[in-house]
Amino acid sequence: MPRWLPRAMILALALYACFQLGSWAFHQLIGLLINILIAFFLALAIEPAVGRMAARGMRRGLATFLVFFAVLAVGAGFVVLLGSMLAGQIVEMVGDFPKYLDQVINWINETFHTELSRVEIQDSLLRSDWLQQYVENSATGVLDVSATVLGGMFKVLTIFLFSFYFAADGPRLRRALCSVLPPAKQTEVLRAWEIAVDKTGGYLYSRGLMALISGVAHYVLLALLDVPYAPVLAVWVGLVSQFIPTIGTYLAGALPMLIAFTVDPWYALWVLCFVLIYQQFENYVLQPKLTARTVDIHPAVAFGSVIAGTALLGAVGALIAIPAVATLQAFLGAYVKRYAVTDDPRVHGHRRHGEAVVARLQPAPGSKNAAAREEQAPAAEGDA
């Protein structure tokens, strides 16, 4: 046996063990890494506001605290107002539920010539095995729900803490990162950081603008239908549909439908139709144009980046995909060599029908038919 073989086997086993250990550690820390990624993009989003306040002489830590406090105050006020409104509407719906049930039963009896009664339906539901099993499962799942809520609160707190540190110690973090790089690489890192701040701010600006347009459109509909709490519901639809990826549209449309149902069941159907139509208009008309102007990427690239981000990281990937791709595109654009475009009309898509016919009849240069015609041309000239 060669002398180097035992050492090679030991080295291979050590590398395999290190790989398995690294893979295990990565899977264990994937949740923390995703939270840090979200915190980093959140810090980039508030960097312009913090930078302006710091430029006027305020300490970055205090400026970051004030920005976060303003965001949390607005969010908490909105949640409290929405919760009080929702609680009142739920109480009203529970009180009017027998009336809605009677209307449905009367419609079924008149349409299908049946003889159903609300008392019999209530007794059958209360005595059903399905309801008892559901209650038992709900009672046993209280601890799971509590653990999920506490875990979610811990994740939110982790994200806010990391984003606060990233925003407050942004210059120190940049200096620490540049201190281990040569001067040429330091310039590239600082340029990439600045591009990321601009693109993330532009993305949030486009989302805020779409939230405003969506809120105004839904407010007009809810006001025409005379649905209560129309302004609050409009703000809810605008914010939730734009800043909660994937399921935000369904969460945003469910609450106005629920409130509209308390006024008139047909109003809920009108709200559903409007939400579906507006969502298509936003996806295919409004969002591509706003994203292309604020983030400066092609609508098809934005749509594909969202799909790819969702496939890789789920809802988090869908939220940060567009600013990440826009930053990468702007950063790599400086290294792409570009040339002047020719004045050929075909560049602009202009092509006359006669030219197209001639192009189809003439053989391509270098083909066998073209070579044969070139050989026949001198022969024809000699005969002449």
Side-chain angles (χ1 to χ4, degrees), residues 148-161:
T148 303
V149 172
L150 292 177
M153 293 178 62
F154 180 75
K155 288 182 179 180
V156 171
L157 181 61
T158 303
I159 292 172
F160 272 97
L161 286 177

Side-chain angles (χ1 to χ4, degrees), residues 29-380:
L29 298 175
I30 187 66
L32 177 62
L33 296 177
I34 292 177
N35 293 336
I36 293 176
L37 183 63
I38 298 173
F40 178 71
F41 275 93
L42 183 59
L44 293 178
I46 66 172
E47 175 66 26
V50 174
R52 292 191 186 96
M53 298 173 70
R56 296 180 179 180
M58 185 179 297
R59 297 180 57 183
R60 287 189 64 91
L62 180 59
T64 306
F65 173 77
L66 292 178
V67 172
F68 271 107
F69 181 77
V71 173
L72 290 177
V74 173
F78 176 72
V79 170
V80 170
L81 180 61
L82 188 67
S84 61
M85 176 206 69
L86 186 60
Q89 293 298 315
I90 290 176
V91 171
E92 182 179 351
M93 286 186 62
V94 171
D96 295 338
F97 182 77
K99 181 179 67 175
Y100 298 142
L101 186 58
D102 289 336
Q103 293 177 357
V104 173
I105 292 174
N106 292 333
W107 179 81
I108 293 176
N109 290 334
E110 293 176 359
T111 304
F112 300 100
H113 305 287
T114 58
E115 296 181 355
L116 299 176
S117 63
R118 178 163 57 89
V119 178
E120 295 178 355
I121 295 177
Q122 289 178 350
D123 292 339
S124 60
L125 287 175
L126 292 176
R127 297 175 181 176
S128 62
D129 297 334
W130 172 82
L131 183 60
Q132 296 177 359
Q133 185 177 2
Y134 178 77
V135 172
E136 292 177 358
N137 293 334
S138 300
T140 56
V142 170
L143 294 177
D144 296 336
V145 173
S146 301
T148 303
V149 172
L150 292 177
M153 293 178 62
F154 180 75
K155 288 182 179 180
V156 171
L157 181 61
T158 303
I159 292 172
F160 272 97
L161 286 177
F162 274 107
S163 60
F164 180 85
Y165 293 142
F166 286 150
D169 294 337
R172 187 185 305 174
L173 180 62
R174 287 191 288 269
R175 287 195 300 268
L177 184 60
C178 292
S179 63
V180 297
L181 298 173
K185 298 297 182 181
Q186 294 179 15
T187 304
E188 298 299 325
V189 169
L190 294 176
R191 187 172 70 88
W193 194 293
E194 185 177 358
I195 291 174
V197 171
D198 294 337
K199 296 304 179 181
T200 305
Y203 173 71
L204 290 180
Y205 170 76
S206 63
R207 284 291 174 179
L209 188 58
M210 284 191 294
L212 178 62
I213 297 173
S214 176
V216 171
H218 287 85
Y219 171 74
V220 172
L221 173 69
L222 297 175
L224 290 177
L225 296 178
D226 199 16
V227 176
Y229 306 102
V232 181
L233 291 175
V235 174
W236 162 266
V237 172
L239 293 178
V240 174
S241 62
Q242 300 304 322
F243 291 100
I244 297 182
T246 309
I247 62 172
T249 302
Y250 308 104
L251 292 177
L255 185 58
M257 289 175 55
L258 182 65
I259 305 301
F261 185 84
T262 61
V263 180
D264 191 341
W266 287 104
Y267 286 178
L269 182 61
W270 281 106
V271 172
L272 175 62
C273 295
F274 182 82
V275 168
L276 294 177
I277 294 174
Y278 181 82
Q279 186 64 28
Q280 302 305 314
F281 166 76
E282 181 183 278
N283 289 339
Y284 295 102
V285 179
L286 186 61
Q287 180 176 353
K289 291 185 177 180
L290 289 179
T291 303
R293 292 189 177 185
T294 55
V295 192
D296 195 19
I297 62 175
H298 194 274
V301 177
F303 182 70
S305 63
V306 171
I307 295 177
T310 305
L312 292 175
L313 297 176
V316 177
L319 186 62
I320 66 175
I322 293 180
V325 171
T327 301
L328 183 63
Q329 176 180 332
F331 180 75
L332 297 179
Y335 301 98
V336 178
K337 188 176 181 180
R338 300 183 183 274
Y339 301 91
V341 181
T342 181
D343 293 333
D344 196 317
R346 289 172 293 182
V347 174
H348 306 285
H350 303 303
R351 192 177 184 185
R352 290 179 296 182
H353 180 68
E355 295 178 352
V357 173
V358 173
R360 286 195 299 267
L361 294 178
Q362 290 180 349
S367 61
K368 295 182 179 179
N369 294 332
R373 289 191 179 186
E374 290 178 357
E375 293 176 358
Q376 291 176 2

